[in-house]
Amino acid sequence: MTLGRTIIRLCAIVVAMQASSALAEVFTFAPLRTSQISDPEQSLLSPDTPSAVIYGSADIGAFSPVIEAFQQENPYIGVEYHQLQTLEMYDMTLAQRANDEPNADLIISSSMDLQMKLANDGYAISHQSSQTRALPHWARWRNEAFAVTQEPAVIAYNRAFFREHNLEPPRTRDAFIELLTKHDDLFSEKVTTYDIERSGVGFLFLARDERFFPGIWDFVRTLGQSKVKLYSNTSPMLEKIADGQVVLGYNLLGSYAETFSHRNPNLGVILPDDFIVVYSRIAIIPRDAQNPDLGARFLDFMLSIKGQSVLQSEGNFNPVRADVPQSPFSSLIFDRYGERVRSFPVGPGLLVYLDQAKRQRFIRRWQDSLLNRR
């Protein structure tokens, strides 16, 4: 079902969350059926079943297909999807525990480090099923934190601009530096990336770059010289690249970029030839979930072959399971570039990115490099 048809039956509202001063968009998916089920074993799917409450950072346009597919198999379950920023989800979970308030039934966040901290600090419950056991070892931790997608960081560019100026878009980080240095006037204020001070995934991507690319701070200094435009979300960057307000983007979320390029042929997407950083959205069932069985049911569907296939085909969220047939985009990443993929395993190693002293040093170096201070 397309997003256009979805919105017809969605009730989209903006509400103030008690545990956060921020605003969340809440999308309500009503149950597909309401007739009573007589089989007691199916009581979880009765009309009296409350809606599954999900906190997620994925855009509703990309995530709604998997909700609809879930409801096709669970027609008596409604879904209430709260689209939130990752830090908001984290803060809300802490506040709801402190105030003895119920939490969501499932939290799916693109901030791998924050999700791992919640699990490590006892905010998640254990869940095992045939679907969780089908995950590779790296994609689950203590049966409490589960990778549900694999998403690369990509380079995006405006095809018309590069054709007009007879330029090749950069396919490595060194080529990116060379392009901006050689054509500094042409790319001034025309390059974009994440503001790592406001974007959790942007911070993770750049921290991973530092580990595998010795020239990363020269790269950031070059971005600063080009008067880079910084954003906290992917969508506005893709829109501005497609319409030519900026023409080159670095470390953008490949799932969104690939989907956007299908609708906007002027947007080109490149998987870097030197190495590809791949991260995952992590799901946990909160310890204070009001209906943890519903959270587990939705999680199992996302991790099933069908759920992973829908995430891939409709949202370009590459599957985690090895037994899911790959799309051309996924196959390109993991088959052609497999040895160049730099993933984040799910585990306590992610907590290093939350060490406040290290984080502040990293951000100060980012700030100094953008301002070209040595």
Side-chain angles (χ1 to χ4, degrees), residues 74-119:
N74 300 274
Y76 295 92
I77 298 180
V79 175
E80 187 176 290
Y81 182 71
H82 296 236
Q83 184 175 316
L84 292 155
Q85 296 292 323
T86 56
L87 185 58
E88 294 168 2
M89 282 188 279
Y90 177 79
D91 288 342
M92 286 170 61
T93 298
L94 298 185
Q96 286 165 340
R97 163 73 68 85
N99 296 328
D100 292 323
E101 297 173 352
N103 199 261
D105 302 320
L106 188 67
I107 301 176
I108 312 164
S109 175
S110 56
S111 280
M112 298 182 73
D113 48 357
L114 292 178
Q115 285 290 82
M116 196 61 233
K117 182 166 177 56
L118 288 176

Side-chain angles (χ1 to χ4, degrees), residues 19 38 44-45 74 76 79 95 109 136 178-179 213 243:
S38 58
L44 181 63
L45 305 183
N74 300 274
Y76 295 92
V79 175
S109 175
E178 183 180 354
L179 179 71
F213 181 46
D243 66 21

Side-chain angles (χ1 to χ4, degrees), residues 126-148:
S126 178
H127 172 63
Q128 295 187 61
S129 68
S130 60
Q131 308 301 344
T132 64
R133 286 189 288 271
L135 292 176
H137 180 73
W138 68 263
R140 52 190 164 96
W141 180 76
R142 221 165 56 182
N143 295 311
E144 294 177 11
F146 307 93
V148 298

Side-chain angles (χ1 to χ4, degrees), residues 10 42 51 67 80 119 125 144 151 156 188 193 198 245 250 252 304 310 318-319 321 333 348:
L10 283 181
Q42 298 295 314
S51 291
I67 295 177
E80 187 176 290
I125 63 173
E144 294 177 11
E151 300 174 56
S188 180
T193 192
R198 296 188 296 149
Q245 293 183 55
Y250 177 69
L252 276 62
S304 69
V310 171
N318 303 301
R321 290 179 56 153
I333 299 167

Side-chain angles (χ1 to χ4, degrees), residues 62-285:
F63 198 70
S64 59
V66 76
I67 295 177
E68 293 173 341
F70 168 79
Q71 288 190 301
Q72 290 294 325
E73 294 198 358
N74 300 274
Y76 295 92
I77 298 180
V79 175
E80 187 176 290
Y81 182 71
H82 296 236
Q83 184 175 316
L84 292 155
Q85 296 292 323
T86 56
L87 185 58
E88 294 168 2
M89 282 188 279
Y90 177 79
D91 288 342
M92 286 170 61
T93 298
L94 298 185
Q96 286 165 340
R97 163 73 68 85
N99 296 328
D100 292 323
E101 297 173 352
N103 199 261
D105 302 320
L106 188 67
I107 301 176
I108 312 164
S109 175
S110 56
S111 280
M112 298 182 73
D113 48 357
L114 292 178
Q115 285 290 82
M116 196 61 233
K117 182 166 177 56
L118 288 176
N120 191 65
D121 291 352
Y123 284 81
I125 63 173
S126 178
H127 172 63
Q128 295 187 61
S129 68
S130 60
Q131 308 301 344
T132 64
R133 286 189 288 271
L135 292 176
H137 180 73
W138 68 263
R140 52 190 164 96
W141 180 76
R142 221 165 56 182
N143 295 311
E144 294 177 11
F146 307 93
V148 298
T149 67
Q150 295 190 84
E151 300 174 56
V154 302
I155 296 168
Y157 67 99
N158 182 288
R159 294 180 184 275
F161 177 89
F162 278 82
R163 282 197 303 267
E164 177 186 351
H165 295 280
N166 196 29
L167 293 171
E168 287 292 324
R171 298 188 173 276
T172 67
R173 289 158 182 83
D174 285 329
F176 205 117
I177 294 174
E178 183 180 354
L179 179 71
L180 298 191
T181 302
K182 187 175 180 180
H183 303 281
D184 55 341
D185 56 338
L186 197 58
F187 287 94
S188 180
E189 299 186 72
K190 292 289 188 179
V191 184
T192 187
T193 192
Y194 292 108
D195 182 348
I196 71 164
E197 296 181 62
R198 296 188 296 149
S199 168
V201 69
F203 182 95
L204 286 176
F205 281 159
L206 196 71
R208 201 67 167 168
D209 280 345
E210 185 190 40
R211 179 175 177 182
F212 294 104
F213 181 46
I216 188 59
W217 298 114
D218 289 334
F219 186 99
V220 176
R221 276 188 283 274
T222 304
L223 292 178
Q225 291 166 352
S226 296
K227 300 179 182 178
V228 63
K229 302 291 186 181
L230 303 177
Y231 294 89
S232 59
N233 295 311
T234 311
S235 295
M237 290 191 281
L238 294 174
E239 292 168 0
K240 291 179 184 298
I241 293 171
D243 66 21
Q245 293 183 55
V246 294
V247 297
L248 190 59
Y250 177 69
N251 262 1
L252 276 62
L253 266 181
S255 53
Y256 291 168
E258 184 70 6
T259 300
F260 195 92
S261 71
H262 294 169
R263 303 192 306 268
N264 298 268
N266 199 35
L267 183 84
V269 178
I270 292 174
L271 292 163
D273 282 341
D274 42 2
F275 65 89
I276 304 169
V277 175
V278 173
Y279 94 117
S280 299
R281 295 175 194 269
I282 293 181
I284 65 169
I285 303 171

